[in-house]
Amino acid sequence: MLSLNADYIVPRISFEEIGGTIFEDEAKFCLGFDELFGKSLRFTSATPDDILKWTSYSKDTVNFLRLSEKITDFCMNRKVGLLIDEVDQASDNQVFLHFLGMLREKYLARKAKEDFTFFSVILAGVYDVKKGKTDF
């Protein structure tokens, strides 16, 4: 795990700690994701400059277009992973599904060398997100 931490910045966020209001609309989700991501950077291999780069214009992250651009700027010249725990809290939420769609578009654009985005995204939860069943 140490070699992963040295080579990658891997913030871990959890939807368990945020409550349901973050999923009410795009602006609340983008601002909430921005805040969670910035908070979690402190516990990664991110440098103080990396953290400042992410948090420097957080109040402007009010829609998926701006969040996408912020992710592009941050992931340029860095290997950044993303771990979202308790993702089953949002699995049937339309705003979260739009967020996943944005991540998919960024991934496809990255493969075409037209964008920068997360090196990897890991979605974790107790329930099978698609079927609503527990993993136990």
Side-chain angles (χ1 to χ4, degrees):
M1 194 68 143
L2 290 174
S3 64
L4 176 68
N5 209 16
D7 296 335
Y8 298 85
I9 298 171
V10 186
R12 179 195 163 275
I13 64 174
S14 175
F15 286 156
E16 186 171 39
E17 65 184 281
I18 58 171
T21 59
I22 194 173
F23 301 108
E24 288 178 357
D25 62 42
E26 183 176 346
K28 286 181 182 179
F29 181 86
C30 291
L31 288 167
F33 177 87
D34 187 314
E35 185 176 336
L36 287 170
F37 190 89
K39 176 183 158 190
S40 69
L41 280 175
R42 295 180 296 189
F43 305 100
T44 68
S45 62
T47 67
D49 286 341
D50 292 333
I51 296 168
L52 183 61
K53 182 174 180 78
W54 182 266
T55 58
S56 63
Y57 59 101
S58 290
K59 291 185 173 108
D60 294 337
T61 314
V62 295
N63 59 44
F64 288 124
L65 181 60
R66 288 189 178 163
L67 180 59
S68 176
E69 286 302 310
K70 189 167 187 177
I71 292 168
T72 296
D73 290 346
F74 188 76
C75 292
M76 189 181 313
N77 303 318
R78 293 176 183 79
K79 289 185 178 178
V80 182
L82 174 63
L83 173 61
I84 304 176
D85 197 8
E86 299 300 331
V87 74
D88 44 346
Q89 301 283 334
S91 63
D92 63 348
N93 184 280
Q94 198 61 43
V95 173
F96 180 68
L97 295 176
H98 286 297
F99 171 70
L100 292 180
M102 179 201 70
L103 292 179
R104 171 108 174 112
E105 286 298 315
K106 292 185 75 53
Y107 167 78
L108 294 172
R110 182 187 74 193
K111 287 185 71 88
K113 301 194 184 311
E114 297 172 350
D115 202 351
F116 298 96
T117 192
F118 300 116
F119 186 80
S120 180
V121 175
I122 301 167
L123 306 175
V126 176
Y127 293 93
D128 178 334
V129 175
K130 200 170 193 181
K131 299 178 185 162
K133 295 192 268 183
T134 62
D135 290 339
F136 303 108

